Amino acid sequence: MESRPEIAKYVPHDSRVVCVGIGGDAAEAATGLAPATTRADARSLLAGDDNGIDVLLVASAALTRELLAAAAERLTGRGVLVVACAVVPAARLLDSPGTSEVLVTLSEAG
């Protein structure tokens, strides 16, 4: 029996998924959900008209305060933001490259 990716356990199967900085195939493999839209970077999300997003999957390299502000406006009431970070299997999550920058950006954005 194949298990569903962790993210898919928490959102309905018909959720609207938008990915920023992550290709559609990689996003579907990670979430178990087919993305409705993929955007190359934060700027392209900000320029687009994506509203009613249930899952916003963002590569850590694409995370900015501007993107977080836009996410707050575009996510549905029960929408979730998922930030994908590179993880070094032998290291603690907080010691992985880029993780501390992601935490700082999220903290500063509130």
Coordinates of all heavy atoms in Angstrom, one line a residue:
M1 N 0.8 -1.2 0.0 CA 0.0 0.0 0.0 C 0.9 1.2 0.0 O 1.8 1.4 0.8 CB -0.9 0.0 1.2 CG -1.8 1.1 1.3 SD -3.0 0.9 2.6 CE -2.6 2.3 3.6
E2 N 0.6 2.2 -0.9 CA 1.4 3.4 -1.0 C 0.9 4.4 -0.1 O -0.3 4.6 0.0 CB 1.3 3.9 -2.5 CG 2.2 5.1 -2.7 CD 2.1 5.5 -4.2 OE1 2.0 4.6 -5.0 OE2 2.2 6.7 -4.4
S3 N 1.7 5.1 0.7 CA 1.3 6.1 1.6 C 1.2 7.4 0.9 O 2.0 7.7 0.0 CB 2.1 6.2 2.8 OG 3.4 6.6 2.5
R4 N 0.3 8.3 1.3 CA 0.2 9.6 0.7 C 1.2 10.5 1.3 O 1.6 10.4 2.4 CB -1.2 10.2 0.9 CG -2.3 9.4 0.3 CD -3.6 9.9 0.7 NE -3.8 11.3 0.3 CZ -4.8 12.1 0.9 NH1 -5.6 11.6 1.8 NH2 -4.9 13.3 0.5
P5 N 1.7 11.5 0.5 CA 2.7 12.5 1.0 C 2.0 13.2 2.2 O 0.8 13.3 2.2 CB 2.9 13.4 -0.1 CG 2.7 12.6 -1.3 CD 1.6 11.7 -1.0
E6 N 2.8 13.6 3.2 CA 2.3 14.2 4.4 C 1.4 15.4 4.1 O 0.3 15.5 4.8 CB 3.5 14.6 5.3 CG 3.1 14.9 6.7 CD 2.6 13.7 7.5 OE1 3.0 12.5 7.1 OE2 1.9 13.9 8.4
I7 N 1.7 16.2 3.2 CA 0.9 17.4 3.0 C -0.5 17.1 2.5 O -1.5 17.6 3.0 CB 1.6 18.3 1.9 CG1 2.9 18.8 2.4 CG2 0.7 19.5 1.5 CD1 3.8 19.4 1.3
A8 N -0.6 16.0 1.7 CA -1.9 15.6 1.1 C -2.9 15.1 2.2 O -4.1 15.1 2.0 CB -1.7 14.6 0.1
K9 N -2.3 14.7 3.3 CA -3.2 14.2 4.4 C -4.0 15.3 5.1 O -5.0 15.1 5.7 CB -2.3 13.5 5.5 CG -1.6 12.3 5.0 CD -0.7 11.7 6.1 CE 0.0 10.5 5.5 NZ 1.0 10.0 6.5
Y10 N -3.6 16.6 4.9 CA -4.2 17.7 5.6 C -5.0 18.6 4.7 O -5.6 19.5 5.2 CB -3.1 18.5 6.3 CG -2.4 17.7 7.3 CD1 -1.1 17.2 7.0 CD2 -2.9 17.5 8.6 CE1 -0.5 16.4 8.0 CE2 -2.3 16.7 9.5 CZ -1.0 16.2 9.2 OH -0.4 15.4 10.1
V11 N -5.1 18.3 3.4 CA -5.9 19.2 2.5 C -6.7 18.3 1.6 O -6.4 17.2 1.3 CB -5.0 20.1 1.7 CG1 -4.3 21.1 2.5 CG2 -4.0 19.3 0.9
P12 N -7.9 18.8 1.2 CA -8.8 18.0 0.4 C -8.1 17.7 -1.0 O -7.3 18.5 -1.5 CB -10.0 18.9 0.2 CG -10.0 19.8 1.3 CD -8.5 20.0 1.7
H13 N -8.5 16.6 -1.6 CA -7.9 16.2 -2.9 C -8.1 17.3 -4.0 O -7.3 17.4 -4.9 CB -8.4 14.9 -3.3 CG -7.8 14.3 -4.5 ND1 -6.4 14.4 -4.8 CD2 -8.3 13.6 -5.5 CE1 -6.1 13.8 -5.9 NE2 -7.2 13.3 -6.4
D14 N -9.2 18.0 -3.9 CA -9.5 19.0 -5.0 C -9.0 20.4 -4.6 O -9.4 21.4 -5.2 CB -11.0 19.0 -5.2 CG -11.8 19.4 -4.0 OD1 -11.2 19.5 -2.9 OD2 -13.0 19.7 -4.1
S15 N -8.0 20.4 -3.8 CA -7.4 21.7 -3.4 C -6.7 22.4 -4.6 O -6.2 21.7 -5.4 CB -6.4 21.5 -2.3 OG -7.0 21.1 -1.1
R16 N -6.8 23.7 -4.6 CA -6.1 24.5 -5.6 C -4.7 24.7 -5.1 O -4.5 25.4 -4.1 CB -6.8 25.8 -5.9 CG -6.1 26.6 -6.9 CD -7.0 27.6 -7.6 NE -6.3 28.2 -8.8 CZ -5.7 29.4 -8.7 NH1 -5.7 30.1 -7.6 NH2 -5.1 29.8 -9.8
V17 N -3.7 24.2 -5.8 CA -2.3 24.2 -5.5 C -1.6 25.2 -6.4 O -1.7 25.0 -7.6 CB -1.7 22.8 -5.5 CG1 -0.2 22.9 -5.1 CG2 -2.4 21.9 -4.6
V18 N -0.8 26.1 -5.9 CA 0.0 27.0 -6.7 C 1.5 26.8 -6.1 O 1.7 26.8 -4.9 CB -0.4 28.5 -6.5 CG1 0.6 29.4 -7.3 CG2 -1.8 28.6 -7.1
C19 N 2.4 26.6 -7.1 CA 3.8 26.4 -6.7 C 4.6 27.6 -7.2 O 4.4 28.1 -8.3 CB 4.3 25.1 -7.4 SG 3.4 23.7 -6.9
V20 N 5.6 28.0 -6.4 CA 6.5 29.0 -6.7 C 7.9 28.5 -6.6 O 8.3 28.1 -5.5 CB 6.3 30.3 -5.8 CG1 7.3 31.4 -6.2 CG2 4.9 30.8 -5.9
G21 N 8.7 28.5 -7.7 CA 10.0 28.1 -7.7 C 10.2 26.6 -7.7 O 11.3 26.0 -7.5
I22 N 9.1 25.8 -7.9 CA 9.1 24.4 -7.9 C 8.3 23.9 -9.1 O 7.2 24.3 -9.3 CB 8.5 23.8 -6.6 CG1 9.3 24.2 -5.4 CG2 8.4 22.3 -6.7 CD1 8.6 23.9 -4.1
G23 N 8.9 23.0 -9.9 CA 8.2 22.5 -11.1 C 7.0 21.6 -10.7 O 6.9 21.1 -9.6
G24 N 6.0 21.5 -11.6 CA 4.8 20.8 -11.4 C 5.0 19.4 -11.0 O 4.3 18.9 -10.1
D25 N 5.9 18.7 -11.7 CA 6.1 17.2 -11.4 C 6.7 17.1 -10.0 O 6.2 16.2 -9.2 CB 7.0 16.6 -12.4 CG 6.4 16.5 -13.8 OD1 5.1 16.6 -13.8 OD2 7.1 16.3 -14.7
A26 N 7.6 17.9 -9.6 CA 8.2 17.8 -8.2 C 7.2 18.2 -7.2 O 7.1 17.5 -6.1 CB 9.4 18.7 -8.1
A27 N 6.3 19.1 -7.5 CA 5.3 19.5 -6.5 C 4.3 18.4 -6.3 O 3.9 18.1 -5.2 CB 4.6 20.8 -7.0
E28 N 3.9 17.8 -7.4 CA 2.9 16.7 -7.3 C 3.5 15.5 -6.5 O 2.9 14.9 -5.7 CB 2.4 16.2 -8.7 CG 1.3 15.2 -8.6 CD 0.6 15.0 -9.9 OE1 1.1 15.5 -10.9 OE2 -0.3 14.2 -9.9
A29 N 4.8 15.2 -6.8 CA 5.5 14.1 -6.0 C 5.5 14.5 -4.5 O 5.4 13.6 -3.7 CB 6.8 13.9 -6.6
A30 N 5.8 15.7 -4.2 CA 5.9 16.1 -2.8 C 4.6 16.2 -2.1 O 4.5 15.9 -0.9 CB 6.6 17.5 -2.7
T31 N 3.6 16.7 -2.8 CA 2.3 16.9 -2.1 C 1.2 15.9 -2.4 O 0.3 15.7 -1.6 CB 1.7 18.3 -2.6 OG1 1.4 18.2 -4.0 CG2 2.6 19.4 -2.3
G32 N 1.4 15.1 -3.5 CA 0.3 14.2 -3.9 C -0.8 14.9 -4.6 O -1.9 14.4 -4.9
L33 N -0.7 16.2 -4.8 CA -1.7 17.1 -5.4 C -1.1 17.7 -6.7 O 0.0 18.2 -6.7 CB -2.1 18.2 -4.5 CG -2.7 17.7 -3.1 CD1 -2.8 18.9 -2.2 CD2 -4.0 17.0 -3.3
A34 N -1.9 17.7 -7.8 CA -1.4 18.3 -9.0 C -1.6 19.8 -8.9 O -2.6 20.3 -8.5 CB -2.3 17.8 -10.2
P35 N -0.5 20.6 -9.2 CA -0.6 22.0 -9.1 C -1.5 22.6 -10.2 O -1.4 22.2 -11.3 CB 0.8 22.5 -9.2 CG 1.5 21.4 -9.9 CD 0.8 20.1 -9.5
A36 N -2.3 23.6 -9.8 CA -3.1 24.3 -10.8 C -2.2 25.3 -11.6 O -2.4 25.5 -12.8 CB -4.2 25.1 -10.1
T37 N -1.3 25.8 -10.9 CA -0.4 26.8 -11.5 C 1.0 26.7 -10.9 O 1.2 26.4 -9.8 CB -0.9 28.3 -11.1 OG1 -2.3 28.4 -11.5 CG2 -0.1 29.3 -11.8
T38 N 2.0 26.9 -11.8 CA 3.4 27.0 -11.3 C 3.9 28.4 -11.7 O 3.6 28.8 -12.8 CB 4.3 25.9 -11.9 OG1 4.2 25.9 -13.3 CG2 3.8 24.5 -11.4
R39 N 4.6 29.0 -10.8 CA 5.2 30.3 -11.1 C 6.7 30.1 -10.9 O 7.2 29.4 -9.9 CB 4.7 31.3 -10.1 CG 3.2 31.5 -10.2 CD 2.9 32.3 -11.4 NE 1.4 32.6 -11.5 CZ 0.8 33.1 -12.5 NH1 1.5 33.2 -13.7 NH2 -0.5 33.3 -12.5
A40 N 7.5 30.8 -11.7 CA 9.0 30.6 -11.6 C 9.5 31.2 -10.4 O 10.5 30.7 -9.8 CB 9.6 31.2 -12.8
D41 N 9.0 32.4 -9.9 CA 9.5 33.1 -8.8 C 8.4 33.9 -8.1 O 7.3 34.0 -8.6 CB 10.7 33.9 -9.2 CG 10.4 34.9 -10.3 OD1 9.2 35.3 -10.5 OD2 11.3 35.2 -11.1
A42 N 8.8 34.6 -7.0 CA 7.9 35.4 -6.3 C 7.3 36.5 -7.2 O 6.1 36.8 -7.1 CB 8.5 36.0 -5.1
R43 N 8.2 37.1 -8.0 CA 7.7 38.2 -8.9 C 6.6 37.8 -9.8 O 5.6 38.5 -10.0 CB 8.9 38.8 -9.7 CG 8.5 40.0 -10.5 CD 9.7 40.6 -11.1 NE 10.5 41.2 -10.1 CZ 11.8 41.3 -10.0 NH1 12.6 40.7 -11.0 NH2 12.4 41.9 -9.0
S44 N 6.7 36.6 -10.3 CA 5.6 36.1 -11.2 C 4.3 35.8 -10.5 O 3.2 36.0 -11.0 CB 6.1 34.9 -12.1 OG 6.4 33.8 -11.2
L45 N 4.4 35.4 -9.2 CA 3.2 35.2 -8.4 C 2.6 36.6 -8.2 O 1.3 36.7 -8.3 CB 3.5 34.5 -7.1 CG 2.3 34.4 -6.2 CD1 1.3 33.3 -6.7 CD2 2.7 34.0 -4.8
L46 N 3.4 37.6 -7.8 CA 2.9 38.9 -7.5 C 2.2 39.5 -8.7 O 1.2 40.3 -8.6 CB 4.0 39.8 -7.0 CG 4.6 39.3 -5.7 CD1 5.8 40.2 -5.3 CD2 3.6 39.4 -4.5
A47 N 2.7 39.2 -9.9 CA 2.2 39.8 -11.1 C 0.9 39.1 -11.6 O 0.1 39.6 -12.4 CB 3.2 39.8 -12.2
G48 N 0.7 37.8 -11.1 CA -0.4 37.0 -11.6 C -1.7 37.3 -10.8 O -1.7 38.2 -9.9
D49 N -2.7 36.7 -11.2 CA -4.0 36.9 -10.6 C -4.5 35.7 -9.8 O -5.7 35.4 -9.8 CB -5.1 37.4 -11.6 CG -5.3 36.3 -12.7 OD1 -4.5 35.3 -12.7 OD2 -6.2 36.5 -13.5
D50 N -3.6 35.0 -9.2 CA -3.9 33.8 -8.4 C -4.6 34.1 -7.1 O -4.0 34.8 -6.2 CB -2.6 33.0 -8.1 CG -1.9 32.6 -9.3 OD1 -2.5 31.9 -10.2 OD2 -0.7 32.9 -9.5
N51 N -5.9 33.8 -7.0 CA -6.6 34.0 -5.8 C -7.3 32.7 -5.4 O -7.5 31.8 -6.3 CB -7.7 35.1 -6.0 CG -7.0 36.4 -6.0 OD1 -6.2 36.8 -5.2 ND2 -7.4 37.2 -7.1
G52 N -7.8 32.5 -4.2 CA -8.4 31.3 -3.8 C -7.5 30.1 -3.7 O -7.9 29.0 -4.0
I53 N -6.3 30.3 -3.3 CA -5.3 29.3 -3.2 C -5.5 28.5 -1.9 O -5.6 29.1 -0.9 CB -3.9 29.9 -3.3 CG1 -3.6 30.6 -4.6 CG2 -2.8 28.8 -3.1 CD1 -2.3 31.4 -4.6
D54 N -5.5 27.2 -2.1 CA -5.6 26.3 -0.9 C -4.3 25.9 -0.4 O -4.1 25.8 0.8 CB -6.4 25.0 -1.2 CG -7.8 25.4 -1.6 OD1 -8.5 26.0 -0.9 OD2 -8.3 25.0 -2.7
V55 N -3.3 25.6 -1.3 CA -2.0 25.3 -0.9 C -1.0 26.1 -1.7 O -1.0 26.0 -3.0 CB -1.7 23.8 -1.1 CG1 -0.3 23.4 -0.8 CG2 -2.7 22.9 -0.4
L56 N -0.1 26.8 -1.1 CA 0.9 27.6 -1.7 C 2.2 26.9 -1.4 O 2.6 26.9 -0.2 CB 0.9 29.0 -1.3 CG 2.0 29.9 -2.0 CD1 1.9 29.9 -3.5 CD2 1.8 31.4 -1.5
L57 N 2.8 26.3 -2.3 CA 4.1 25.5 -2.1 C 5.2 26.4 -2.7 O 5.2 26.7 -3.9 CB 4.0 24.2 -2.8 CG 5.2 23.3 -2.7 CD1 5.6 22.9 -1.3 CD2 5.0 22.0 -3.6
V58 N 6.1 26.8 -1.8 CA 7.2 27.7 -2.2 C 8.6 27.1 -1.9 O 8.8 26.6 -0.8 CB 7.0 29.1 -1.4 CG1 8.1 30.1 -1.8 CG2 5.7 29.6 -1.6
A59 N 9.5 27.2 -2.9 CA 10.8 26.9 -2.7 C 11.5 27.9 -1.8 O 11.2 29.1 -1.9 CB 11.6 26.8 -4.0
S60 N 12.3 27.5 -0.8 CA 12.9 28.4 0.1 C 13.6 29.5 -0.6 O 13.6 30.7 -0.1 CB 13.8 27.7 1.1 OG 14.9 27.0 0.4
A61 N 14.2 29.3 -1.7 CA 15.0 30.3 -2.4 C 14.0 31.4 -3.0 O 14.5 32.5 -3.2 CB 15.8 29.7 -3.6
A62 N 12.8 31.1 -3.1 CA 11.8 32.1 -3.7 C 11.1 32.8 -2.6 O 10.3 33.7 -2.9 CB 10.8 31.3 -4.6
L63 N 11.3 32.5 -1.3 CA 10.5 33.1 -0.2 C 11.0 34.5 0.0 O 12.2 34.8 0.2 CB 10.7 32.2 1.0 CG 9.9 32.6 2.2 CD1 8.4 32.4 1.9 CD2 10.3 31.9 3.4
T64 N 10.1 35.5 0.0 CA 10.4 36.9 0.3 C 9.2 37.4 1.1 O 8.2 36.8 1.2 CB 10.5 37.7 -1.0 OG1 9.2 37.7 -1.6 CG2 11.5 37.2 -2.0
R65 N 9.5 38.5 1.8 CA 8.4 39.2 2.5 C 7.3 39.6 1.7 O 6.1 39.5 2.1 CB 9.0 40.4 3.3 CG 9.8 40.0 4.4 CD 10.2 41.3 5.3 NE 11.5 41.0 5.9 CZ 12.4 41.9 6.0 NH1 12.2 43.1 5.6 NH2 13.6 41.6 6.5
E66 N 7.6 40.0 0.4 CA 6.5 40.4 -0.5 C 5.6 39.2 -0.9 O 4.4 39.3 -0.9 CB 7.1 41.0 -1.8 CG 7.8 42.3 -1.6 CD 9.2 42.2 -1.0 OE1 9.8 41.1 -1.0 OE2 9.7 43.2 -0.5
L67 N 6.3 38.1 -1.1 CA 5.5 36.9 -1.4 C 4.6 36.5 -0.2 O 3.5 36.1 -0.4 CB 6.4 35.7 -1.7 CG 5.7 34.4 -2.1 CD1 6.4 33.8 -3.3 CD2 5.6 33.5 -1.0
L68 N 5.1 36.6 1.0 CA 4.3 36.3 2.2 C 3.1 37.2 2.4 O 2.0 36.8 2.7 CB 5.2 36.3 3.5 CG 6.2 35.2 3.6 CD1 7.2 35.4 4.8 CD2 5.6 33.8 3.7
A69 N 3.3 38.5 2.0 CA 2.2 39.4 2.1 C 1.2 39.1 1.1 O 0.0 39.1 1.3 CB 2.7 40.8 1.9
A70 N 1.6 38.7 -0.1 CA 0.7 38.3 -1.2 C 0.0 37.0 -0.8 O -1.2 36.8 -1.1 CB 1.4 38.1 -2.5
A71 N 0.7 36.1 -0.2 CA 0.1 34.8 0.2 C -1.0 35.0 1.2 O -2.1 34.4 1.1 CB 1.2 33.9 0.9
A72 N -0.8 35.9 2.1 CA -1.9 36.2 3.1 C -3.2 36.7 2.5 O -4.3 36.4 2.9 CB -1.4 37.3 4.1
E73 N -3.1 37.4 1.4 CA -4.2 37.9 0.7 C -4.8 36.8 -0.2 O -6.0 36.9 -0.5 CB -3.9 39.1 -0.2 CG -3.4 40.3 0.6 CD -2.8 41.4 -0.2 OE1 -2.9 41.3 -1.5 OE2 -2.4 42.4 0.3
R74 N -4.0 35.9 -0.8 CA -4.5 35.0 -1.8 C -4.9 33.6 -1.3 O -5.6 32.9 -2.0 CB -3.4 34.9 -2.9 CG -3.2 36.2 -3.6 CD -2.0 36.2 -4.4 NE -1.8 37.6 -4.9 CZ -1.3 37.9 -6.0 NH1 -0.9 37.0 -6.8 NH2 -1.1 39.2 -6.4
L75 N -4.4 33.3 -0.1 CA -4.8 32.0 0.4 C -6.3 32.0 0.9 O -6.7 33.0 1.4 CB -3.9 31.6 1.6 CG -2.5 31.1 1.2 CD1 -1.6 31.1 2.5 CD2 -2.5 29.8 0.6
T76 N -6.9 30.9 0.8 CA -8.3 30.8 1.3 C -8.2 30.8 2.8 O -7.1 30.7 3.4 CB -9.0 29.4 0.8 OG1 -8.2 28.3 1.3 CG2 -9.1 29.4 -0.7
G77 N -9.4 30.8 3.5 CA -9.4 30.9 4.9 C -8.7 29.7 5.6 O -8.1 29.8 6.6
R78 N -8.7 28.5 5.0 CA -8.0 27.3 5.5 C -6.8 27.0 4.7 O -6.3 25.9 4.8 CB -9.0 26.2 5.6 CG -10.2 26.4 6.5 CD -11.1 25.2 6.6 NE -10.3 24.0 7.0 CZ -10.3 23.4 8.2 NH1 -11.1 24.0 9.1 NH2 -9.6 22.4 8.4
G79 N -6.4 27.9 3.9 CA -5.2 27.7 3.0 C -3.9 27.5 3.9 O -3.8 28.0 5.0
V80 N -3.0 26.8 3.3 CA -1.7 26.6 3.9 C -0.5 27.0 3.0 O -0.6 26.9 1.8 CB -1.5 25.1 4.3 CG1 -2.5 24.7 5.4 CG2 -1.6 24.2 3.1
L81 N 0.5 27.5 3.7 CA 1.7 27.8 3.0 C 2.8 26.8 3.4 O 2.9 26.5 4.6 CB 2.2 29.2 3.5 CG 3.7 29.6 3.1 CD1 3.7 29.8 1.6 CD2 4.1 30.8 3.9
V82 N 3.4 26.2 2.4 CA 4.4 25.1 2.6 C 5.7 25.6 2.0 O 5.7 26.0 0.8 CB 4.0 23.8 2.0 CG1 5.1 22.7 2.2 CG2 2.7 23.3 2.6
V83 N 6.7 25.7 2.8 CA 8.0 26.1 2.3 C 8.9 24.9 2.2 O 9.1 24.2 3.2 CB 8.7 27.2 3.2 CG1 10.0 27.6 2.7 CG2 7.8 28.4 3.4
A84 N 9.4 24.7 1.0 CA 10.3 23.5 0.8 C 11.7 23.9 0.9 O 12.2 24.8 0.2 CB 10.0 22.9 -0.6
C85 N 12.4 23.3 1.9 CA 13.8 23.6 2.1 C 14.7 22.3 1.9 O 14.2 21.2 2.0 CB 14.0 23.9 3.6 SG 13.1 25.4 4.2
A86 N 15.9 22.6 1.4 CA 16.8 21.5 1.3 C 17.1 20.9 2.7 O 17.3 21.7 3.6 CB 18.1 21.9 0.6
V87 N 17.2 19.6 2.8 CA 17.4 19.0 4.1 C 18.6 18.1 4.0 O 18.7 17.3 3.0 CB 16.2 18.2 4.6 CG1 16.5 17.5 5.9 CG2 15.0 19.1 4.8
V88 N 19.6 18.2 4.9 CA 20.7 17.3 4.9 C 20.3 16.1 5.9 O 20.1 16.4 7.1 CB 22.0 18.0 5.4 CG1 23.1 17.1 5.5 CG2 22.3 19.2 4.5
P89 N 20.2 14.9 5.4 CA 19.7 13.8 6.2 C 20.5 13.6 7.5 O 19.9 13.2 8.5 CB 19.9 12.6 5.3 CG 19.9 13.1 3.9 CD 20.5 14.5 4.0
A90 N 21.8 13.8 7.5 CA 22.5 13.6 8.7 C 22.6 14.7 9.7 O 23.1 14.6 10.8 CB 24.0 13.2 8.4
A91 N 21.9 15.8 9.3 CA 22.0 17.0 10.2 C 20.6 17.3 10.8 O 19.6 16.9 10.2 CB 22.5 18.2 9.4
R92 N 20.6 18.1 11.9 CA 19.3 18.6 12.4 C 18.7 19.5 11.4 O 19.4 20.2 10.6 CB 19.5 19.3 13.7 CG 20.0 18.5 14.8 CD 20.3 19.3 16.1 NE 20.6 20.7 15.9 CZ 20.1 21.8 16.5 NH1 19.2 21.6 17.4 NH2 20.5 23.0 16.3
L93 N 17.4 19.6 11.4 CA 16.7 20.5 10.4 C 17.2 21.9 10.5 O 17.5 22.6 9.5 CB 15.2 20.5 10.7 CG 14.3 21.4 9.8 CD1 14.5 21.0 8.3 CD2 12.9 21.4 10.2
L94 N 17.4 22.4 11.7 CA 17.8 23.8 11.9 C 19.2 24.1 11.4 O 19.7 25.2 11.2 CB 17.7 24.3 13.3 CG 16.2 24.4 13.8 CD1 16.2 24.7 15.3 CD2 15.4 25.4 13.0
D95 N 20.0 23.0 11.3 CA 21.4 23.1 10.8 C 21.5 23.0 9.3 O 22.5 23.1 8.7 CB 22.3 22.0 11.4 CG 22.4 22.2 12.9 OD1 22.3 23.4 13.4 OD2 22.6 21.2 13.6
S96 N 20.4 22.7 8.6 CA 20.4 22.5 7.2 C 20.5 23.9 6.5 O 20.0 24.9 7.0 CB 19.1 21.8 6.7 OG 19.0 20.5 7.1
P97 N 21.2 23.9 5.3 CA 21.4 25.2 4.6 C 20.1 25.9 4.3 O 19.2 25.2 3.8 CB 22.1 24.7 3.3 CG 22.6 23.3 3.6 CD 21.7 22.7 4.6
G98 N 20.0 27.1 4.6 CA 18.9 27.9 4.2 C 17.7 27.9 5.2 O 16.9 28.8 5.2
T99 N 17.7 27.0 6.1 CA 16.6 26.9 7.1 C 16.5 28.1 8.0 O 15.4 28.6 8.2 CB 16.7 25.6 7.9 OG1 16.8 24.5 7.0 CG2 15.5 25.4 8.8
S100 N 17.6 28.5 8.5 CA 17.6 29.7 9.4 C 17.1 30.9 8.7 O 16.4 31.7 9.3 CB 19.0 29.9 10.1 OG 19.9 30.2 9.1
E101 N 17.5 31.1 7.4 CA 17.0 32.3 6.7 C 15.5 32.2 6.5 O 14.8 33.2 6.5 CB 17.7 32.3 5.3 CG 19.2 32.7 5.3 CD 20.0 31.5 5.6 OE1 19.5 30.3 5.7 OE2 21.3 31.6 5.6
V102 N 15.0 31.0 6.2 CA 13.5 30.9 6.1 C 12.8 31.2 7.4 O 11.8 32.0 7.4 CB 13.2 29.4 5.7 CG1 11.7 29.2 5.8 CG2 13.6 29.1 4.2
L103 N 13.3 30.7 8.5 CA 12.7 31.0 9.8 C 12.8 32.5 10.1 O 11.8 33.1 10.6 CB 13.4 30.3 10.9 CG 13.2 28.8 10.9 CD1 14.1 28.0 11.9 CD2 11.7 28.4 11.0
V104 N 13.9 33.2 9.8 CA 14.0 34.6 10.0 C 12.9 35.4 9.1 O 12.2 36.3 9.6 CB 15.4 35.1 9.7 CG1 15.4 36.7 9.6 CG2 16.3 34.6 10.7
T105 N 12.8 35.0 7.8 CA 11.9 35.6 6.9 C 10.4 35.5 7.4 O 9.6 36.4 7.5 CB 12.0 35.1 5.5 OG1 13.3 35.3 5.1 CG2 11.0 35.8 4.6
L106 N 10.1 34.2 7.9 CA 8.7 34.0 8.4 C 8.5 34.8 9.7 O 7.4 35.4 9.8 CB 8.5 32.5 8.6 CG 8.5 31.6 7.4 CD1 8.5 30.1 7.8 CD2 7.2 31.9 6.6
S107 N 9.5 34.8 10.5 CA 9.3 35.6 11.8 C 9.1 37.0 11.6 O 8.3 37.7 12.2 CB 10.5 35.3 12.7 OG 10.6 34.0 13.1
E108 N 10.0 37.6 10.7 CA 9.9 39.0 10.4 C 8.6 39.4 9.7 O 8.1 40.5 9.9 CB 11.1 39.5 9.5 CG 12.4 39.5 10.3 CD 13.6 39.8 9.4 OE1 13.4 39.9 8.2 OE2 14.7 40.0 10.0
A109 N 8.0 38.5 9.0 CA 6.8 38.8 8.3 C 5.5 38.6 9.2 O 4.4 39.0 8.8 CB 6.6 37.9 7.0
G110 N 5.8 38.0 10.4 CA 4.7 37.8 11.3 C 3.8 36.6 10.9 O 2.7 36.5 11.2

